[in-house]
Amino acid sequence: MFNRQKIGLQDCRVHGGSTRAELFIVEGISASQAVCNLRDPEFQAVLPMQGKPANASKASARMLRENVLFRELRSALGVSSTDGAQAAECRYSRIILLFDPDADGIHIGALMLIYFNHQLCSFVEAGRIAVVRAPLYELTYRQTASDSAPWLTRFAYTDDEFKLRQHQLTLSGAINLKTKRIRGLAGMPTDTLRSTCIAPETRHLFQLGIEDAEAAVAAFGGLSR
């Protein structure tokens, strides 16, 4: 069980870049607790963070060294310093950025990617950094008017995709169509959070590379936080 009084790494049992060990970086106590309660402790670790991280493209080297989040991150990864740090030294095969599906979540994810690109570039180059896209909308419906007909669920990850799915389902004759805006990871039903964000077989995971890091710098690098 996640300890609200101690915010720190919730580790897994296996480690090493050659294993399937992975580290989720999650913002907020409630969201981190939700992820920690659903992860597989055998190979999935959770590192909670609070607030937006420092912008590595603007912060001083001293600030980055002394930043609490970045110190905990380096410790979790098994990297004592960024000087000469190599992805091969990492305790996890993959680092996964998992944040709320809103503007703040996008910004936090970009700042974390900027940090890796600035301080631990070999992790980006080796394909060790990934992001999970959490759904923004949930659509539930039935295919027939029968009370015994099962409820079906679809997800949308952008406003445009939501409008398209809603239109398609309406045209297809979906019954009792209900829609819900998902406000954050902590408010997701456990089945939704597990299937769309945590379970390797069903989550929407995207590997990030140098081009993604450069895009993050272009979009957010000039902002102080």
Side-chain angles (χ1 to χ4, degrees):
M1 179 63 70
F2 190 92
N3 186 346
R4 281 181 171 271
Q5 302 303 315
K6 182 179 180 182
I7 304 173
L9 174 68
Q10 307 297 303
D11 212 352
C12 56
R13 289 192 282 269
V14 300
H15 298 101
S18 62
T19 71
R20 59 173 181 162
E22 52 190 34
L23 174 68
F24 285 100
I25 302 177
V26 185
E27 196 276 328
I29 296 175
S30 296
S32 300
Q33 179 178 359
V35 173
C36 197
N37 288 343
L38 296 174
R39 53 99 187 225
D40 185 332
E42 178 67 21
F43 69 97
Q44 293 179 318
V46 180
L47 180 65
M49 57 172 284
Q50 288 185 282
K52 291 183 180 178
N55 190 329
S57 65
K58 302 287 288 185
S60 67
R62 179 179 178 181
M63 179 183 292
L64 295 177
R65 284 196 307 272
E66 296 179 353
N67 182 277
V68 174
L69 167 64
F70 295 147
R71 284 207 314 265
E72 290 187 353
L73 174 60
R74 292 192 297 272
S75 176
L77 298 177
V79 177
S80 59
S81 168
T82 57
D83 297 334
Q86 298 295 319
E89 303 171 11
C90 185
R91 298 173 67 242
Y92 306 96
S93 62
R94 179 183 288 130
I95 297 93
I96 300 174
L97 309 179
L98 176 55
F99 304 115
D100 286 344
D102 56 19
D104 279 344
I106 293 172
H107 190 196
I108 291 170
L111 291 174
M112 288 304 303
L113 182 56
I114 289 171
Y115 174 79
F116 275 103
N117 189 56
H118 192 276
Q119 296 287 299
L120 297 166
C121 189
S122 66
F123 286 69
V124 183
E125 293 173 342
R128 293 290 188 88
I129 313 299
V131 61
V132 166
R133 290 180 61 196
L136 195 57
Y137 295 95
E138 180 184 74
L139 304 91
T140 57
Y141 63 97
R142 283 173 164 162
Q143 290 183 320
T144 70
S146 171
D147 290 340
S148 62
W151 286 97
L152 303 176
T153 303
R154 295 291 183 272
F155 297 104
Y157 292 80
T158 66
D159 290 328
D160 288 341
E161 184 183 8
F162 168 70
K163 293 175 183 177
L164 178 60
R165 283 194 178 278
Q166 189 176 36
H167 179 66
Q168 291 174 334
L169 289 171
T170 300
L171 289 180
S172 69
I175 306 297
N176 302 129
L177 177 61
K178 300 176 182 180
T179 63
K180 180 174 68 176
R181 173 71 179 258
I182 298 175
R183 297 299 176 184
L185 301 178
M188 282 189 192
T190 56
D191 288 345
T192 299
L193 180 59
R194 182 186 291 108
S195 65
T196 63
C197 299
I198 299 175
E201 301 80 11
T202 54
R203 67 193 179 193
H204 284 228
L205 184 140
F206 300 87
Q207 182 175 305
L208 299 175
I210 296 298
E211 291 184 358
D212 300 294
E214 292 175 347
V217 171
F220 298 104
L223 303 177
S224 59
R225 285 183 69 83

